[in-house]
Amino acid sequence: MKVIIAENYQDASKKMADVIEKVVREKPDCTLGLATGSSPVGMYQELARRCKEEGLDFSKIHTVNLDEYVGLEPTHNQSYRYFMDSNLFDHINIDKANTYVAKGIGDVDANLKEFNELLDKTEIEIQVLGVGPDGHLAFNEPGPVLIDGAHKEILDESTIDANARFFANRDEVPRYAVTMGMGNIMRAKALIMIINGNKKDAATKLLMSDRIDPMCPATFMRMHRDATVVIEKKLAEEIGYIQ
Ligand code: GLP
């Protein structure tokens, strides 16, 4: 696993954008796996800037997102479809018909069937990842067993707590999500994770131990042949990864 130390969040966002830019320039019609959460926002801003100012071309790029809340309309301002449109797709020259965020409303089984069918026929060139404070990847919550394909998850109380900051109050946070499974994530050709802020526990388990721990799904990154972790210097120091 390759580890890149970033000076700060802005630097981490640029370094993430550098990796994605290289993929987009080398394979302008590939599929990117994308993530939501606050961590990749700076990278999306940087990619949008490079598209506008430096001609980084997304016109033939396809994307698929990790997950979506169950019960939120795509127009809800906390849905992940809305997040992707407002943080990235509205600011780059991508054809939105080529972007896929799983449906959060309607029949869950039918939505998962569609999501799994798409994933089965899609080769993800690189998958962007954040990490939950409890070590979750996408919405694969810690547990004794992890799931291969796209499925519905019951969100952990700690995830509801962590994501409550985006909603008017905690009661509004959806209790369920549809998410890529661990297998879908691991089958991406490359993985890139940004880990910053208050992710001390997950960062320690990921970088300071060689245990593959289903109670910290982020540790599965270690098994991937082409995985990169971008970590802020301050956090890397806090966990003792660097002096
Ligand atoms: C949500 C998403 C995850 C994301 C996590 C961390 O739970 N489903 O994919 O990694 O949030 O979010 P943040 O980047 O805001 O810390």
Side-chain angles (χ1 to χ4, degrees), residues 112-148:
L112 283 170
K113 186 168 178 283
E114 180 185 281
F115 194 10
N116 270 309
E117 280 171 4
L118 177 94
L119 290 168
D120 285 347
K121 63 177 189 207
T122 301
E123 184 172 61
I124 297 175
E125 199 64 31
I126 186 163
Q127 176 64 56
V128 175
L129 296 166
V131 57
D134 62 356
H136 71 231
L137 278 193
F139 272 126
N140 293 275
E141 296 285 20
V145 171
L146 299 172
I147 296 174
D148 180 11

PDB file of all heavy atoms in Angstrom, residues 112-148:
ATOM      1  N   LEU A 112     -31.320  -2.356  -5.949  1.00  0.00           N
ATOM      2  CA  LEU A 112     -30.073  -3.102  -5.734  1.00  0.00           C
ATOM      3  C   LEU A 112     -29.761  -4.007  -6.923  1.00  0.00           C
ATOM      4  O   LEU A 112     -28.592  -4.181  -7.292  1.00  0.00           O
ATOM      5  CB  LEU A 112     -30.171  -3.935  -4.455  1.00  0.00           C
ATOM      6  CG  LEU A 112     -30.012  -3.129  -3.163  1.00  0.00           C
ATOM      7  CD1 LEU A 112     -30.353  -3.975  -1.951  1.00  0.00           C
ATOM      8  CD2 LEU A 112     -28.581  -2.578  -3.050  1.00  0.00           C
ATOM      9  N   LYS A 113     -30.806  -4.556  -7.530  1.00  0.00           N
ATOM     10  CA  LYS A 113     -30.595  -5.405  -8.710  1.00  0.00           C
ATOM     11  C   LYS A 113     -29.941  -4.565  -9.828  1.00  0.00           C
ATOM     12  O   LYS A 113     -28.945  -4.978 -10.426  1.00  0.00           O
ATOM     13  CB  LYS A 113     -31.943  -5.969  -9.169  1.00  0.00           C
ATOM     14  CG  LYS A 113     -31.862  -6.979 -10.289  1.00  0.00           C
ATOM     15  CD  LYS A 113     -33.218  -7.691 -10.447  1.00  0.00           C
ATOM     16  CE  LYS A 113     -33.200  -8.676 -11.592  1.00  0.00           C
ATOM     17  NZ  LYS A 113     -33.301  -8.057 -12.903  1.00  0.00           N
ATOM     18  N   GLU A 114     -30.490  -3.376 -10.018  1.00  0.00           N
ATOM     19  CA  GLU A 114     -29.941  -2.487 -11.054  1.00  0.00           C
ATOM     20  C   GLU A 114     -28.490  -2.112 -10.731  1.00  0.00           C
ATOM     21  O   GLU A 114     -27.612  -2.141 -11.603  1.00  0.00           O
ATOM     22  CB  GLU A 114     -30.805  -1.219 -11.124  1.00  0.00           C
ATOM     23  CG  GLU A 114     -30.347  -0.216 -12.165  1.00  0.00           C
ATOM     24  CD  GLU A 114     -31.159   1.059 -12.116  1.00  0.00           C
ATOM     25  OE1 GLU A 114     -32.288   1.071 -12.652  1.00  0.00           O
ATOM     26  OE2 GLU A 114     -30.661   2.065 -11.551  1.00  0.00           O
ATOM     27  N   PHE A 115     -28.236  -1.794  -9.456  1.00  0.00           N
ATOM     28  CA  PHE A 115     -26.894  -1.388  -9.008  1.00  0.00           C
ATOM     29  C   PHE A 115     -25.908  -2.553  -9.226  1.00  0.00           C
ATOM     30  O   PHE A 115     -24.832  -2.382  -9.814  1.00  0.00           O
ATOM     31  CB  PHE A 115     -26.987  -0.995  -7.527  1.00  0.00           C
ATOM     32  CG  PHE A 115     -25.803  -0.244  -6.956  1.00  0.00           C
ATOM     33  CD1 PHE A 115     -24.780   0.269  -7.752  1.00  0.00           C
ATOM     34  CD2 PHE A 115     -25.721  -0.014  -5.575  1.00  0.00           C
ATOM     35  CE1 PHE A 115     -23.713   0.968  -7.202  1.00  0.00           C
ATOM     36  CE2 PHE A 115     -24.657   0.686  -5.014  1.00  0.00           C
ATOM     37  CZ  PHE A 115     -23.656   1.168  -5.822  1.00  0.00           C
ATOM     38  N   ASN A 116     -26.307  -3.750  -8.805  1.00  0.00           N
ATOM     39  CA  ASN A 116     -25.422  -4.914  -8.951  1.00  0.00           C
ATOM     40  C   ASN A 116     -25.172  -5.246 -10.419  1.00  0.00           C
ATOM     41  O   ASN A 116     -24.046  -5.610 -10.794  1.00  0.00           O
ATOM     42  CB  ASN A 116     -26.013  -6.130  -8.221  1.00  0.00           C
ATOM     43  CG  ASN A 116     -25.528  -6.185  -6.783  1.00  0.00           C
ATOM     44  OD1 ASN A 116     -24.327  -6.098  -6.524  1.00  0.00           O
ATOM     45  ND2 ASN A 116     -26.450  -6.318  -5.841  1.00  0.00           N
ATOM     46  N   GLU A 117     -26.211  -5.129 -11.247  1.00  0.00           N
ATOM     47  CA  GLU A 117     -26.016  -5.425 -12.675  1.00  0.00           C
ATOM     48  C   GLU A 117     -25.011  -4.452 -13.289  1.00  0.00           C
ATOM     49  O   GLU A 117     -24.138  -4.854 -14.063  1.00  0.00           O
ATOM     50  CB  GLU A 117     -27.361  -5.361 -13.421  1.00  0.00           C
ATOM     51  CG  GLU A 117     -28.154  -6.649 -13.222  1.00  0.00           C
ATOM     52  CD  GLU A 117     -29.590  -6.587 -13.736  1.00  0.00           C
ATOM     53  OE1 GLU A 117     -29.988  -5.556 -14.324  1.00  0.00           O
ATOM     54  OE2 GLU A 117     -30.302  -7.585 -13.532  1.00  0.00           O
ATOM     55  N   LEU A 118     -25.139  -3.192 -12.907  1.00  0.00           N
ATOM     56  CA  LEU A 118     -24.200  -2.198 -13.432  1.00  0.00           C
ATOM     57  C   LEU A 118     -22.775  -2.506 -12.955  1.00  0.00           C
ATOM     58  O   LEU A 118     -21.829  -2.512 -13.749  1.00  0.00           O
ATOM     59  CB  LEU A 118     -24.600  -0.788 -12.976  1.00  0.00           C
ATOM     60  CG  LEU A 118     -23.608   0.269 -13.426  1.00  0.00           C
ATOM     61  CD1 LEU A 118     -24.043   0.885 -14.747  1.00  0.00           C
ATOM     62  CD2 LEU A 118     -23.411   1.341 -12.387  1.00  0.00           C
ATOM     63  N   LEU A 119     -22.646  -2.814 -11.669  1.00  0.00           N
ATOM     64  CA  LEU A 119     -21.306  -3.079 -11.126  1.00  0.00           C
ATOM     65  C   LEU A 119     -20.685  -4.320 -11.765  1.00  0.00           C
ATOM     66  O   LEU A 119     -19.483  -4.357 -12.031  1.00  0.00           O
ATOM     67  CB  LEU A 119     -21.377  -3.243  -9.600  1.00  0.00           C
ATOM     68  CG  LEU A 119     -21.671  -1.951  -8.839  1.00  0.00           C
ATOM     69  CD1 LEU A 119     -22.026  -2.246  -7.383  1.00  0.00           C
ATOM     70  CD2 LEU A 119     -20.486  -0.995  -8.911  1.00  0.00           C
ATOM     71  N   ASP A 120     -21.524  -5.329 -12.036  1.00  0.00           N
ATOM     72  CA  ASP A 120     -20.998  -6.571 -12.620  1.00  0.00           C
ATOM     73  C   ASP A 120     -20.407  -6.347 -14.011  1.00  0.00           C
ATOM     74  O   ASP A 120     -19.521  -7.082 -14.435  1.00  0.00           O
ATOM     75  CB  ASP A 120     -22.106  -7.633 -12.691  1.00  0.00           C
ATOM     76  CG  ASP A 120     -22.397  -8.212 -11.312  1.00  0.00           C
ATOM     77  OD1 ASP A 120     -21.590  -7.971 -10.390  1.00  0.00           O
ATOM     78  OD2 ASP A 120     -23.433  -8.890 -11.152  1.00  0.00           O
ATOM     79  N   LYS A 121     -20.922  -5.359 -14.729  1.00  0.00           N
ATOM     80  CA  LYS A 121     -20.405  -5.151 -16.092  1.00  0.00           C
ATOM     81  C   LYS A 121     -19.458  -3.949 -16.194  1.00  0.00           C
ATOM     82  O   LYS A 121     -19.053  -3.572 -17.285  1.00  0.00           O
ATOM     83  CB  LYS A 121     -21.558  -5.045 -17.093  1.00  0.00           C
ATOM     84  CG  LYS A 121     -22.472  -3.882 -16.877  1.00  0.00           C
ATOM     85  CD  LYS A 121     -23.552  -3.810 -17.949  1.00  0.00           C
ATOM     86  CE  LYS A 121     -24.295  -2.513 -17.808  1.00  0.00           C
ATOM     87  NZ  LYS A 121     -25.632  -2.473 -18.263  1.00  0.00           N
ATOM     88  N   THR A 122     -19.123  -3.364 -15.047  1.00  0.00           N
ATOM     89  CA  THR A 122     -18.289  -2.155 -15.070  1.00  0.00           C
ATOM     90  C   THR A 122     -16.908  -2.428 -14.502  1.00  0.00           C
ATOM     91  O   THR A 122     -16.781  -3.035 -13.442  1.00  0.00           O
ATOM     92  CB  THR A 122     -18.946  -1.040 -14.210  1.00  0.00           C
ATOM     93  OG1 THR A 122     -20.242  -0.778 -14.745  1.00  0.00           O
ATOM     94  CG2 THR A 122     -18.138   0.237 -14.220  1.00  0.00           C
ATOM     95  N   GLU A 123     -15.900  -1.966 -15.219  1.00  0.00           N
ATOM     96  CA  GLU A 123     -14.555  -2.033 -14.657  1.00  0.00           C
ATOM     97  C   GLU A 123     -14.220  -0.643 -14.119  1.00  0.00           C
ATOM     98  O   GLU A 123     -14.130   0.318 -14.895  1.00  0.00           O
ATOM     99  CB  GLU A 123     -13.545  -2.432 -15.725  1.00  0.00           C
ATOM    100  CG  GLU A 123     -12.163  -2.613 -15.145  1.00  0.00           C
ATOM    101  CD  GLU A 123     -11.196  -3.191 -16.161  1.00  0.00           C
ATOM    102  OE1 GLU A 123     -10.967  -2.529 -17.202  1.00  0.00           O
ATOM    103  OE2 GLU A 123     -10.682  -4.287 -15.930  1.00  0.00           O
ATOM    104  N   ILE A 124     -14.064  -0.546 -12.818  1.00  0.00           N
ATOM    105  CA  ILE A 124     -13.751   0.751 -12.212  1.00  0.00           C
ATOM    106  C   ILE A 124     -12.238   0.947 -12.266  1.00  0.00           C
ATOM    107  O   ILE A 124     -11.479   0.150 -11.722  1.00  0.00           O
ATOM    108  CB  ILE A 124     -14.282   0.821 -10.761  1.00  0.00           C
ATOM    109  CG1 ILE A 124     -15.822   0.704 -10.763  1.00  0.00           C
ATOM    110  CG2 ILE A 124     -13.833   2.113 -10.085  1.00  0.00           C
ATOM    111  CD1 ILE A 124     -16.454   0.630  -9.381  1.00  0.00           C
ATOM    112  N   GLU A 125     -11.830   2.004 -12.948  1.00  0.00           N
ATOM    113  CA  GLU A 125     -10.392   2.251 -13.152  1.00  0.00           C
ATOM    114  C   GLU A 125      -9.729   2.638 -11.836  1.00  0.00           C
ATOM    115  O   GLU A 125      -8.654   2.171 -11.507  1.00  0.00           O
ATOM    116  CB  GLU A 125     -10.238   3.383 -14.183  1.00  0.00           C
ATOM    117  CG  GLU A 125      -8.897   3.455 -14.832  1.00  0.00           C
ATOM    118  CD  GLU A 125      -8.562   2.235 -15.681  1.00  0.00           C
ATOM    119  OE1 GLU A 125      -9.479   1.609 -16.255  1.00  0.00           O
ATOM    120  OE2 GLU A 125      -7.365   1.911 -15.759  1.00  0.00           O
ATOM    121  N   ILE A 126     -10.396   3.518 -11.091  1.00  0.00           N
ATOM    122  CA  ILE A 126      -9.895   3.892  -9.760  1.00  0.00           C
ATOM    123  C   ILE A 126     -11.085   4.245  -8.888  1.00  0.00           C
ATOM    124  O   ILE A 126     -12.024   4.905  -9.362  1.00  0.00           O
ATOM    125  CB  ILE A 126      -8.860   5.048  -9.831  1.00  0.00           C
ATOM    126  CG1 ILE A 126      -8.253   5.305  -8.447  1.00  0.00           C
ATOM    127  CG2 ILE A 126      -9.448   6.325 -10.424  1.00  0.00           C
ATOM    128  CD1 ILE A 126      -6.967   6.115  -8.470  1.00  0.00           C
ATOM    129  N   GLN A 127     -11.062   3.792  -7.667  1.00  0.00           N
ATOM    130  CA  GLN A 127     -12.154   4.068  -6.733  1.00  0.00           C
ATOM    131  C   GLN A 127     -11.673   5.033  -5.657  1.00  0.00           C
ATOM    132  O   GLN A 127     -10.692   4.758  -4.954  1.00  0.00           O
ATOM    133  CB  GLN A 127     -12.638   2.761  -6.075  1.00  0.00           C
ATOM    134  CG  GLN A 127     -13.706   2.948  -5.012  1.00  0.00           C
ATOM    135  CD  GLN A 127     -15.010   3.509  -5.573  1.00  0.00           C
ATOM    136  OE1 GLN A 127     -15.600   2.934  -6.497  1.00  0.00           O
ATOM    137  NE2 GLN A 127     -15.464   4.644  -5.051  1.00  0.00           N
ATOM    138  N   VAL A 128     -12.355   6.158  -5.546  1.00  0.00           N
ATOM    139  CA  VAL A 128     -12.059   7.130  -4.483  1.00  0.00           C
ATOM    140  C   VAL A 128     -12.765   6.676  -3.205  1.00  0.00           C
ATOM    141  O   VAL A 128     -13.927   6.262  -3.249  1.00  0.00           O
ATOM    142  CB  VAL A 128     -12.578   8.536  -4.883  1.00  0.00           C
ATOM    143  CG1 VAL A 128     -12.384   9.532  -3.738  1.00  0.00           C
ATOM    144  CG2 VAL A 128     -11.905   9.027  -6.160  1.00  0.00           C
ATOM    145  N   LEU A 129     -12.061   6.780  -2.085  1.00  0.00           N
ATOM    146  CA  LEU A 129     -12.637   6.372  -0.805  1.00  0.00           C
ATOM    147  C   LEU A 129     -12.369   7.405   0.274  1.00  0.00           C
ATOM    148  O   LEU A 129     -11.292   8.012   0.315  1.00  0.00           O
ATOM    149  CB  LEU A 129     -12.005   5.049  -0.342  1.00  0.00           C
ATOM    150  CG  LEU A 129     -12.258   3.816  -1.205  1.00  0.00           C
ATOM    151  CD1 LEU A 129     -11.304   2.702  -0.810  1.00  0.00           C
ATOM    152  CD2 LEU A 129     -13.704   3.353  -1.069  1.00  0.00           C
ATOM    153  N   GLY A 130     -13.365   7.570   1.147  1.00  0.00           N
ATOM    154  CA  GLY A 130     -13.132   8.234   2.426  1.00  0.00           C
ATOM    155  C   GLY A 130     -13.213   7.118   3.454  1.00  0.00           C
ATOM    156  O   GLY A 130     -13.294   5.942   3.117  1.00  0.00           O
ATOM    157  N   VAL A 131     -13.227   7.495   4.700  1.00  0.00           N
ATOM    158  CA  VAL A 131     -13.387   6.463   5.738  1.00  0.00           C
ATOM    159  C   VAL A 131     -14.241   7.041   6.857  1.00  0.00           C
ATOM    160  O   VAL A 131     -14.097   8.216   7.209  1.00  0.00           O
ATOM    161  CB  VAL A 131     -12.009   5.960   6.230  1.00  0.00           C
ATOM    162  CG1 VAL A 131     -11.147   7.083   6.754  1.00  0.00           C
ATOM    163  CG2 VAL A 131     -12.142   4.878   7.275  1.00  0.00           C
ATOM    164  N   GLY A 132     -15.155   6.235   7.369  1.00  0.00           N
ATOM    165  CA  GLY A 132     -15.959   6.684   8.502  1.00  0.00           C
ATOM    166  C   GLY A 132     -15.132   6.632   9.773  1.00  0.00           C
ATOM    167  O   GLY A 132     -14.130   5.914   9.842  1.00  0.00           O
ATOM    168  N   PRO A 133     -15.526   7.376  10.799  1.00  0.00           N
ATOM    169  CA  PRO A 133     -14.779   7.355  12.064  1.00  0.00           C
ATOM    170  C   PRO A 133     -14.670   5.940  12.643  1.00  0.00           C
ATOM    171  O   PRO A 133     -13.704   5.611  13.333  1.00  0.00           O
ATOM    172  CB  PRO A 133     -15.603   8.259  12.983  1.00  0.00           C
ATOM    173  CG  PRO A 133     -16.490   9.051  12.094  1.00  0.00           C
ATOM    174  CD  PRO A 133     -16.685   8.273  10.832  1.00  0.00           C
ATOM    175  N   ASP A 134     -15.656   5.084  12.336  1.00  0.00           N
ATOM    176  CA  ASP A 134     -15.610   3.699  12.828  1.00  0.00           C
ATOM    177  C   ASP A 134     -14.904   2.762  11.844  1.00  0.00           C
ATOM    178  O   ASP A 134     -14.932   1.552  12.001  1.00  0.00           O
ATOM    179  CB  ASP A 134     -17.033   3.186  13.106  1.00  0.00           C
ATOM    180  CG  ASP A 134     -17.905   3.164  11.847  1.00  0.00           C
ATOM    181  OD1 ASP A 134     -17.433   3.618  10.770  1.00  0.00           O
ATOM    182  OD2 ASP A 134     -19.044   2.678  11.931  1.00  0.00           O
ATOM    183  N   GLY A 135     -14.307   3.334  10.804  1.00  0.00           N
ATOM    184  CA  GLY A 135     -13.569   2.519   9.838  1.00  0.00           C
ATOM    185  C   GLY A 135     -14.418   2.020   8.692  1.00  0.00           C
ATOM    186  O   GLY A 135     -13.956   1.231   7.871  1.00  0.00           O
ATOM    187  N   HIS A 136     -15.689   2.489   8.596  1.00  0.00           N
ATOM    188  CA  HIS A 136     -16.513   1.984   7.490  1.00  0.00           C
ATOM    189  C   HIS A 136     -16.030   2.509   6.140  1.00  0.00           C
ATOM    190  O   HIS A 136     -15.501   3.605   6.037  1.00  0.00           O
ATOM    191  CB  HIS A 136     -18.014   2.222   7.708  1.00  0.00           C
ATOM    192  CG  HIS A 136     -18.488   3.634   7.609  1.00  0.00           C
ATOM    193  ND1 HIS A 136     -19.257   4.242   8.585  1.00  0.00           N
ATOM    194  CD2 HIS A 136     -18.355   4.564   6.642  1.00  0.00           C
ATOM    195  CE1 HIS A 136     -19.553   5.468   8.210  1.00  0.00           C
ATOM    196  NE2 HIS A 136     -19.012   5.694   7.036  1.00  0.00           N
ATOM    197  N   LEU A 137     -16.206   1.668   5.132  1.00  0.00           N
ATOM    198  CA  LEU A 137     -15.895   2.040   3.740  1.00  0.00           C
ATOM    199  C   LEU A 137     -17.218   2.081   3.003  1.00  0.00           C
ATOM    200  O   LEU A 137     -17.968   1.103   3.063  1.00  0.00           O
ATOM    201  CB  LEU A 137     -15.036   0.974   3.069  1.00  0.00           C
ATOM    202  CG  LEU A 137     -13.533   0.989   3.318  1.00  0.00           C
ATOM    203  CD1 LEU A 137     -12.836   0.064   2.331  1.00  0.00           C
ATOM    204  CD2 LEU A 137     -12.946   2.387   3.225  1.00  0.00           C
ATOM    205  N   ALA A 138     -17.471   3.164   2.263  1.00  0.00           N
ATOM    206  CA  ALA A 138     -18.801   3.410   1.698  1.00  0.00           C
ATOM    207  C   ALA A 138     -19.753   3.316   2.889  1.00  0.00           C
ATOM    208  O   ALA A 138     -19.546   4.003   3.884  1.00  0.00           O
ATOM    209  CB  ALA A 138     -19.120   2.442   0.584  1.00  0.00           C
ATOM    210  N   PHE A 139     -20.765   2.428   2.855  1.00  0.00           N
ATOM    211  CA  PHE A 139     -21.555   2.211   4.070  1.00  0.00           C
ATOM    212  C   PHE A 139     -21.404   0.776   4.557  1.00  0.00           C
ATOM    213  O   PHE A 139     -22.312   0.219   5.159  1.00  0.00           O
ATOM    214  CB  PHE A 139     -23.022   2.575   3.840  1.00  0.00           C
ATOM    215  CG  PHE A 139     -23.324   4.028   4.097  1.00  0.00           C
ATOM    216  CD1 PHE A 139     -23.938   4.810   3.135  1.00  0.00           C
ATOM    217  CD2 PHE A 139     -23.001   4.628   5.309  1.00  0.00           C
ATOM    218  CE1 PHE A 139     -24.228   6.155   3.371  1.00  0.00           C
ATOM    219  CE2 PHE A 139     -23.281   5.966   5.556  1.00  0.00           C
ATOM    220  CZ  PHE A 139     -23.902   6.731   4.584  1.00  0.00           C
ATOM    221  N   ASN A 140     -20.266   0.141   4.289  1.00  0.00           N
ATOM    222  CA  ASN A 140     -19.996  -1.183   4.847  1.00  0.00           C
ATOM    223  C   ASN A 140     -19.576  -0.994   6.295  1.00  0.00           C
ATOM    224  O   ASN A 140     -18.425  -0.614   6.583  1.00  0.00           O
ATOM    225  CB  ASN A 140     -18.890  -1.892   4.055  1.00  0.00           C
ATOM    226  CG  ASN A 140     -19.330  -2.236   2.652  1.00  0.00           C
ATOM    227  OD1 ASN A 140     -19.954  -3.273   2.434  1.00  0.00           O
ATOM    228  ND2 ASN A 140     -19.051  -1.344   1.709  1.00  0.00           N
ATOM    229  N   GLU A 141     -20.530  -1.232   7.190  1.00  0.00           N
ATOM    230  CA  GLU A 141     -20.280  -0.999   8.609  1.00  0.00           C
ATOM    231  C   GLU A 141     -19.462  -2.156   9.205  1.00  0.00           C
ATOM    232  O   GLU A 141     -19.534  -3.289   8.711  1.00  0.00           O
ATOM    233  CB  GLU A 141     -21.612  -0.873   9.357  1.00  0.00           C
ATOM    234  CG  GLU A 141     -22.458   0.332   8.934  1.00  0.00           C
ATOM    235  CD  GLU A 141     -21.929   1.669   9.465  1.00  0.00           C
ATOM    236  OE1 GLU A 141     -20.750   1.762   9.831  1.00  0.00           O
ATOM    237  OE2 GLU A 141     -22.726   2.635   9.499  1.00  0.00           O
ATOM    238  N   PRO A 142     -18.683  -1.871  10.260  1.00  0.00           N
ATOM    239  CA  PRO A 142     -17.920  -2.934  10.913  1.00  0.00           C
ATOM    240  C   PRO A 142     -18.834  -4.066  11.385  1.00  0.00           C
ATOM    241  O   PRO A 142     -19.974  -3.819  11.774  1.00  0.00           O
ATOM    242  CB  PRO A 142     -17.303  -2.234  12.123  1.00  0.00           C
ATOM    243  CG  PRO A 142     -17.342  -0.789  11.810  1.00  0.00           C
ATOM    244  CD  PRO A 142     -18.507  -0.565  10.916  1.00  0.00           C
ATOM    245  N   GLY A 143     -18.335  -5.268  11.334  1.00  0.00           N
ATOM    246  CA  GLY A 143     -19.124  -6.420  11.798  1.00  0.00           C
ATOM    247  C   GLY A 143     -18.332  -7.686  11.565  1.00  0.00           C
ATOM    248  O   GLY A 143     -17.305  -7.662  10.871  1.00  0.00           O
ATOM    249  N   PRO A 144     -18.789  -8.819  12.109  1.00  0.00           N
ATOM    250  CA  PRO A 144     -18.032 -10.071  11.954  1.00  0.00           C
ATOM    251  C   PRO A 144     -17.995 -10.564  10.518  1.00  0.00           C
ATOM    252  O   PRO A 144     -17.100 -11.324  10.141  1.00  0.00           O
ATOM    253  CB  PRO A 144     -18.771 -11.056  12.864  1.00  0.00           C
ATOM    254  CG  PRO A 144     -20.123 -10.455  13.069  1.00  0.00           C
ATOM    255  CD  PRO A 144     -19.981  -8.976  12.950  1.00  0.00           C
ATOM    256  N   VAL A 145     -18.978 -10.144   9.719  1.00  0.00           N
ATOM    257  CA  VAL A 145     -19.057 -10.586   8.327  1.00  0.00           C
ATOM    258  C   VAL A 145     -19.253  -9.354   7.447  1.00  0.00           C
ATOM    259  O   VAL A 145     -20.063  -8.484   7.771  1.00  0.00           O
ATOM    260  CB  VAL A 145     -20.257 -11.553   8.136  1.00  0.00           C
ATOM    261  CG1 VAL A 145     -20.478 -11.852   6.671  1.00  0.00           C
ATOM    262  CG2 VAL A 145     -20.042 -12.845   8.915  1.00  0.00           C
ATOM    263  N   LEU A 146     -18.516  -9.294   6.368  1.00  0.00           N
ATOM    264  CA  LEU A 146     -18.716  -8.208   5.401  1.00  0.00           C
ATOM    265  C   LEU A 146     -19.329  -8.799   4.136  1.00  0.00           C
ATOM    266  O   LEU A 146     -19.249 -10.004   3.911  1.00  0.00           O
ATOM    267  CB  LEU A 146     -17.388  -7.511   5.110  1.00  0.00           C
ATOM    268  CG  LEU A 146     -16.735  -6.861   6.341  1.00  0.00           C
ATOM    269  CD1 LEU A 146     -15.339  -6.355   6.011  1.00  0.00           C
ATOM    270  CD2 LEU A 146     -17.594  -5.718   6.877  1.00  0.00           C
ATOM    271  N   ILE A 147     -19.942  -7.953   3.327  1.00  0.00           N
ATOM    272  CA  ILE A 147     -20.712  -8.456   2.180  1.00  0.00           C
ATOM    273  C   ILE A 147     -20.025  -8.095   0.865  1.00  0.00           C
ATOM    274  O   ILE A 147     -19.474  -7.017   0.717  1.00  0.00           O
ATOM    275  CB  ILE A 147     -22.162  -7.930   2.268  1.00  0.00           C
ATOM    276  CG1 ILE A 147     -22.800  -8.524   3.550  1.00  0.00           C
ATOM    277  CG2 ILE A 147     -22.982  -8.296   1.031  1.00  0.00           C
ATOM    278  CD1 ILE A 147     -24.164  -8.009   3.880  1.00  0.00           C
ATOM    279  N   ASP A 148     -20.080  -9.033  -0.060  1.00  0.00           N
ATOM    280  CA  ASP A 148     -19.384  -8.904  -1.343  1.00  0.00           C
ATOM    281  C   ASP A 148     -20.018  -7.833  -2.251  1.00  0.00           C
ATOM    282  O   ASP A 148     -19.359  -6.886  -2.663  1.00  0.00           O
ATOM    283  CB  ASP A 148     -19.401 -10.288  -2.030  1.00  0.00           C
ATOM    284  CG  ASP A 148     -18.700 -10.300  -3.372  1.00  0.00           C
ATOM    285  OD1 ASP A 148     -18.016  -9.315  -3.701  1.00  0.00           O
ATOM    286  OD2 ASP A 148     -18.842 -11.290  -4.104  1.00  0.00           O
TER     287      ASP A 148
END
